[in-house]
Amino acid sequence: MMLIPCPCCGPRNQTEFTYGGDASVKRPASDAPEAEWFAFVYLRDNPSGWHEELWLHSAGCRSWFKLRRNTRTHEIADSAALHQANPKQGAEP
Ligand SMILES: [Zn+2]
């Protein structure tokens, strides 16, 4: 079992959450070339180590937030609501 720290509700069981994907992916401009849109929609890295992710507290407050999780150990460094500052980027906890 993994406890995920929702910024609104505190630590909760992972079964209450839905994974939303890589939080570092940037949406291209509406007039960007098709190759950029293809990469945005379909291409994802498979990182080993610290990764910034989007999560939805789907069985709780229904808020989207970012967290940094180690994909090898499932250790979670920090989380933040989307309107707050991003979790520390690129730094080890
Ligand atoms: Zn919540």
Side-chain angles (χ1 to χ4, degrees), residues 12-86:
R12 300 293 173 99
N13 190 309
Q14 71 182 70
T15 58
E16 296 183 13
F17 295 86
T18 302
Y19 178 70
D22 185 346
S24 66
V25 175
K26 303 291 183 221
R27 185 181 182 90
S30 59
D31 59 348
E34 187 175 322
E36 281 187 44
W37 278 101
F38 180 84
F40 171 71
V41 173
Y42 295 109
L43 302 181
R44 294 292 179 269
D45 292 332
N46 187 18
S48 175
W50 291 102
H51 186 233
E52 192 171 308
E53 302 171 333
L54 291 171
W55 285 82
L56 170 66
H57 196 180
S58 49
C61 64
R62 305 204 46 84
S63 295
W64 282 96
F65 61 95
K66 290 182 180 180
L67 67 77
R68 280 191 324 125
R69 181 177 66 90
N70 189 315
T71 58
R72 286 179 285 173
T73 64
H74 296 295
E75 179 185 0
I76 295 173
D78 49 13
S79 64
L82 291 183
H83 65 276
Q84 295 175 327
N86 290 341

